[in-house]
Amino acid sequence: MSLPYGYLATVALLAAATLFTLAAPVRPRPLAMLSFRLGVVVNELPFVAFASLLAATVLALAEGDLTSPAAAGVAAAAVVGLGAGLGLVAWRGRQALPAVRRAMGAVPVSRRLPYGRILFRPVFRRRRAVERIPGLTYGPAGRRNLLDLYRHRSRPGGAPVLIHLHGGGYTGGRKNTQSLPLLHRLAGQGWVCVSANYRLRPQATFHDHLVDAKKVIAWVREHGPSYGADPDRIVLAGSSAGAHMAALAGLTADDPAFQPGFEHVDTSVAAVVGLGGYYGPYYDGDPRTSPFAHVRPDAPPFFLAHGDHDTLAPVETARSFAERLRGLSTRPVVYAELPGGHHAFDLFHSLRFEAVVNAIDAFTAQVLSCGSPERPRWRPGPPARQSG
């Protein structure tokens, strides 16, 4: 009897992805990138990986490929061994909820998670109640200056706004690909959400990226009300490089150097949300291109979430940025370190990201209502970290 090579290849691929997910090497760089690419789906969707293993095993049994004792032993070892490894991955994902609850301190974070969506529709991101208006122009740079707008189909007025900037190392990425569970959740609750493209390297520079981010804010100030948005309640969010840009835009509000032609537009924001962000200098190494250089006492409130197993944007930099913000800013700074979290944890409806979305929901509700007498200023909990 021939060996079930197709089945063995499936098992080997799942085993490698699970191993890289659990080990998460950060050096050398090619190995870190391989770990990310192999593990990004498995780490957030271990149930899907296990279902794939079971489906491959059932198919191999149906085709008679596992009738020999050796093949049956391999299948049993694969199901038990990989099941245990994927179970550990799922357990780590479940620890995100207590981590974000600790980080938020006295502000309650919902314990409810949409398990049905996580288990059966983790990639299906849209909600029937949410309307998407794609391809709105906010600048002159063609496709790179387009944004998508999400709002509830009932079209409420005076809605708070979330602007999201995608990641991709400033060389790739596009709107409508990242943090969509967050955009759809908030839009379904009556927010107006915006996901924007921006100019990329090598054609664009650091200055161009930041100008584009501020142009998006300026567009919301001018055009947002016609879509039901409240231009005085803007939260700026980003993933990876988008978090770097969001942090810089939030910390350099109204700086005319980054607002050519719209110097007098108010580009301040109510809060900044960074997801798996890189916060060091730009490619040219200039320290002034790092958010560290712009932290100030009147910085907006920050919510930072970072995986402690991130192989592309090391967690140490995120920790240091949160500590610098806490040391200088007079506004709330929430830092949640996600156990077992890798880079790009915001792609799917997963245990980890849904917990983070719950925390962002609570964080934004708190910071947007701090001016009311029944919701006084608050202090977040201690940095939520996990070792290892």
Side-chain angles (χ1 to χ4, degrees):
M1 177 180 293
S2 61
L3 292 173
Y5 291 111
Y7 178 70
L8 292 175
T10 300
V11 169
L13 178 61
L14 288 173
T18 303
L19 179 62
F20 274 108
T21 295
L22 293 172
V26 296
R27 291 184 182 84
R29 185 68 175 179
L31 193 61
M33 182 61 73
L34 177 63
S35 174
F36 165 68
R37 295 193 181 281
L38 282 177
V40 63
V41 175
V42 169
N43 201 41
E44 295 306 311
L45 305 179
F47 311 109
V48 173
F50 189 65
S52 300
L53 173 64
L54 290 181
T57 302
V58 170
L59 179 62
L61 281 169
E63 293 182 346
D65 292 334
L66 303 179
T67 55
S68 70
V74 169
V79 171
V80 173
L82 279 175
L86 292 170
L88 177 57
V89 172
W91 179 83
R92 284 178 169 179
R94 187 65 178 81
Q95 299 314 298
L97 185 58
V100 297
R101 286 174 61 86
R102 287 193 301 271
M104 287 292 292
V107 175
V109 175
S110 174
R111 297 177 182 270
R112 296 184 61 185
L113 296 176
Y115 289 105
R117 184 181 290 271
I118 291 169
L119 289 172
F120 302 112
R121 296 188 300 163
V123 182
F124 184 77
R125 299 156 173 153
R126 297 188 177 182
R127 294 174 179 246
R128 291 180 180 178
V130 174
E131 173 188 23
R132 172 177 170 245
I133 304 173
L136 300 173
T137 299
Y138 72 87
R143 295 179 62 185
R144 298 315 309 178
N145 276 174
L146 296 180
L147 60 84
D148 295 342
L149 185 140
Y150 302 78
R151 65 180 178 183
H152 198 277
R153 291 190 183 276
S154 65
R155 302 183 181 181
V161 182
L162 179 89
I163 297 172
H164 181 266
L165 304 171
H166 65 77
Y170 285 117
T171 62
R174 58 185 174 85
K175 61 182 175 63
N176 196 34
T177 59
Q178 298 168 22
S179 285
L180 292 181
L182 171 64
L183 299 180
H184 280 91
R185 168 90 75 89
L186 294 183
Q189 295 174 178
W191 286 60
V192 169
C193 296
V194 169
S195 177
N197 284 341
Y198 51 87
R199 287 171 288 175
L200 300 174
R201 283 172 47 87
Q203 290 79 16
T205 65
F206 165 80
H207 184 269
D208 297 329
H209 308 315
L210 194 48
V211 168
D212 282 357
K214 290 174 177 287
K215 281 182 178 178
V216 176
I217 299 171
W219 185 93
V220 170
R221 294 264 187 230
E222 181 179 358
H223 301 284
S226 63
Y227 294 94
D230 179 355
D232 293 323
R233 292 192 294 164
I234 298 175
V235 175
L236 185 59
S239 304
S240 189
H244 181 268
M245 194 186 337
L248 280 162
L251 292 169
T252 60
D254 303 332
D255 187 338
F258 301 111
Q259 297 181 203
F262 58 108
E263 292 87 353
H264 301 296
V265 175
D266 178 9
T267 57
S268 63
V269 295
V272 176
V273 173
L275 303 172
Y278 168 73
Y279 303 108
Y282 189 69
Y283 286 89
D284 58 11
D286 186 342
R288 294 173 296 178
T289 61
S290 166
F292 280 83
H294 301 276
V295 176
R296 60 182 197 272
D298 62 341
F302 268 77
F303 177 97
L304 306 174
H306 209 95
D308 67 356
H309 282 58
D310 194 321
T311 60
L312 300 188
V315 67
E316 291 81 9
T317 304
R319 289 175 187 166
S320 298
F321 182 51
E323 289 170 0
R324 182 165 179 81
L325 282 167
R326 285 176 177 266
L328 292 177
S329 176
T330 61
R331 306 301 300 281
V333 178
V334 174
Y335 174 66
E337 199 162 290
L338 310 175
H342 283 216
H343 204 63
F345 56 79
D346 62 329
L347 294 178
F348 311 107
H349 292 284
S350 65
L351 287 169
R352 181 174 290 108
F353 191 45
E354 290 292 346
V356 172
V357 173
N358 285 0
I360 294 172
D361 193 4
F363 170 80
T364 53
Q366 187 70 23
V367 299
L368 293 179
S369 62
C370 276
S372 63
E374 68 274 13
R375 299 295 289 274
R377 289 176 65 95
W378 61 288
R379 295 184 64 84
R385 299 182 186 173
Q386 296 288 331
S387 60

